[in-house]
Amino acid sequence: MASKSAETVLPFKDKLEKAIAKESNGESKAERIIDLIGRLNEVPVTVDDLRDTKVGLTIGKLRKHSDQSVAGAAKKLLKKWKRMAEGEMTGEAAANTPAPAPSPPAASNGASEEGVASNGGSGEGAPAPAPDSGSGDKKKADDEGGVPDLVQGEEGLVPQRLKVRERMFTIFTQDVDASVQKGAAAAREVEAAIHEIFNFSQKTKEYSAKVRQLNFNLKKNSKLRADVVNGSLAPDLLVQLSSDELATDDLRNERARIREDAINASRSDWDAANDQKLNAMCGIKQMEGLFQCFRCKSKKTTHTQKQTRSADEPMTVFVTCLNCGNRWKFC
């Protein structure tokens, strides 16, 4: 059975869904939606109410609304509910955490001396400290001289660009034998080359599109990745490569095969041009045709018949010489 607060939320949810449906039909309901979100913001709800009514899904659809006021109000309400949910989860975790066990009483001086004596006075009986369980990337970085520098004194580097360098560093160091320092240098130089051509502050969409393209292809193409890290391919040239040039050899060959098949499918003379190949594949030996070419005197000809005139007239014969390509027709 739904709680009273949940029953209060459901009418707002229904009204919001109706307003969204009307907007999809071309009507403008931005003011109505903002009013409903504001009134819903004043309703006290719990996490159970949000789970039962699923009103969060309805509000979530409005985060990408064309009206910035609607999108901002939806994001603000969702953030409020998220903080409330996190607070409830934190409270439950604290309530379920068992109280720490009381510490044992301090040993007497005689017992301490006896323990030291039993260990030979060297403390060998003390447990060894647990090894640091840092991530593999951090361990690799420490082995090669510390955490890599992705900024290198560059001033005015916005957090978004630094995030791009961190992702590229992860890609360049994903191989087992990858060098952390070379990977960090490649990440810095490639991102700087992208920013040089597609300025982040002026061409954000173009910058982001190029970053996505390079990240996708560098993950798949190990040879391209190695060329960039080893310096065989300059970062400024990498940024200017096309999608075909960034692809792996297998993918490039597959695309070439698809293009060739499309070209062949649009040819009207494909069967004649590939007649010998098809005959060889089927094990058919070329036989002499019924007609002799008047140009090269060869009898390697093929012919077809079509009704090009009235039904009481004989069919027109079209002949093609497979030796010289000469074509003629007769009735």
Side-chain angles (χ1 to χ4, degrees):
M1 181 176 179
S3 63
K4 291 184 178 180
S5 56
E7 293 177 354
T8 307
V9 171
L10 285 174
F12 289 103
K13 177 188 175 184
D14 296 337
K15 292 177 182 179
L16 280 171
E17 290 180 346
K18 289 180 181 178
I20 294 173
K22 289 182 179 180
E23 280 205 333
S24 62
N25 295 330
E27 299 183 30
S28 177
K29 294 292 182 179
E31 294 183 0
R32 172 66 171 166
I33 293 174
I34 293 175
D35 178 62
L36 290 171
I37 293 176
R39 293 164 62 187
L40 186 59
N41 189 27
E42 299 174 356
V43 177
V45 295
T46 63
V47 175
D48 293 334
D49 297 335
L50 297 177
R51 186 182 300 111
D52 295 338
T53 60
K54 293 182 171 57
V55 67
L57 298 176
T58 304
I59 299 296
K61 298 176 183 178
L62 300 172
R63 289 179 299 175
K64 297 183 179 180
H65 197 277
S66 57
D67 192 318
Q68 295 298 324
S69 301
V70 174
K75 292 177 182 178
K76 185 177 180 180
L77 181 57
L78 287 175
K79 186 179 293 185
K80 173 187 173 183
W81 286 346
K82 185 176 180 181
R83 286 198 301 265
M84 177 195 67
E86 291 175 350
E88 288 193 11
M89 293 176 63
T90 304
E92 292 178 1
N96 295 329
T97 303
S103 58
S108 61
N109 293 337
S112 300
E113 293 174 359
E114 182 180 355
V116 173
S118 63
N119 292 331
S122 59
E124 294 179 359
D132 185 13
S133 57
S135 63
D137 291 341
K138 185 177 183 301
K139 183 177 183 303
K140 186 190 291 184
D142 292 340
D143 292 342
E144 296 192 13
V147 178
D149 182 13
L150 297 177
V151 180
Q152 205 176 33
E154 192 172 341
E155 297 181 358
L157 188 66
V158 295
Q160 293 88 337
R161 291 183 58 195
L162 181 59
K163 190 69 175 177
V164 170
R165 295 188 180 190
E166 291 174 354
R167 290 177 182 174
M168 286 190 171
F169 170 73
T170 303
I171 294 173
F172 284 128
T173 57
Q174 70 183 31
D175 298 323
V176 177
D177 57 344
S179 169
V180 172
Q181 299 304 326
K182 289 184 178 180
R188 288 195 307 268
E189 294 171 0
V190 171
E191 191 280 331
I194 298 175
H195 179 67
E196 183 71 22
I197 298 177
F198 308 99
N199 189 286
F200 175 77
S201 58
Q202 299 176 1
K203 302 178 180 179
T204 306
K205 290 185 178 180
E206 292 84 349
Y207 175 91
S208 301
K210 177 57 68 173
V211 168
R212 287 194 298 270
Q213 181 192 45
L214 291 182
N215 284 347
F216 176 82
N217 288 282
L218 287 170
K219 284 181 183 178
K220 305 288 185 181
N221 197 337
S222 58
K223 183 178 181 300
L224 179 67
R225 196 165 57 241
D227 288 344
V228 176
V229 172
N230 296 331
S232 303
L233 179 61
D236 54 343
L237 296 179
L238 172 70
V239 176
Q240 299 177 10
L241 294 180
S242 63
S243 58
D244 282 341
E245 293 171 327
L246 291 171
T248 60
D249 293 339
D250 294 339
L251 182 58
R252 196 180 301 116
N253 295 334
E254 180 66 16
R255 289 175 178 174
R257 185 189 64 78
I258 293 174
R259 283 194 293 267
E260 185 178 358
D261 291 344
I263 294 174
N264 290 333
S266 62
R267 291 181 57 181
S268 59
D269 61 338
W270 184 88
D271 53 346
N274 295 272
D275 184 68
Q276 295 183 0
K277 185 186 297 185
L278 294 174
N279 290 338
M281 291 174 61
C282 299
I284 301 174
K285 295 183 178 179
Q286 183 61 47
M287 304 295 292
E288 291 185 352
L290 297 177
F291 305 98
Q292 184 179 14
C293 178
F294 59 85
R295 178 182 295 173
C296 66
K297 308 304 179 182
S298 172
K299 289 188 176 181
K300 293 182 179 181
T301 58
T302 59
H303 70 281
T304 57
Q305 294 180 323
K306 294 182 180 180
Q307 189 68 45
T308 58
R309 298 178 293 174
S310 58
D312 60 340
E313 296 290 337
M315 299 180 71
T316 303
V317 181
F318 296 86
V319 186
T320 302
C321 178
L322 300 178
N323 187 44
C324 66
N326 183 30
R327 297 181 180 184
W328 71 96
K329 65 179 180 178
F330 61 90
C331 301

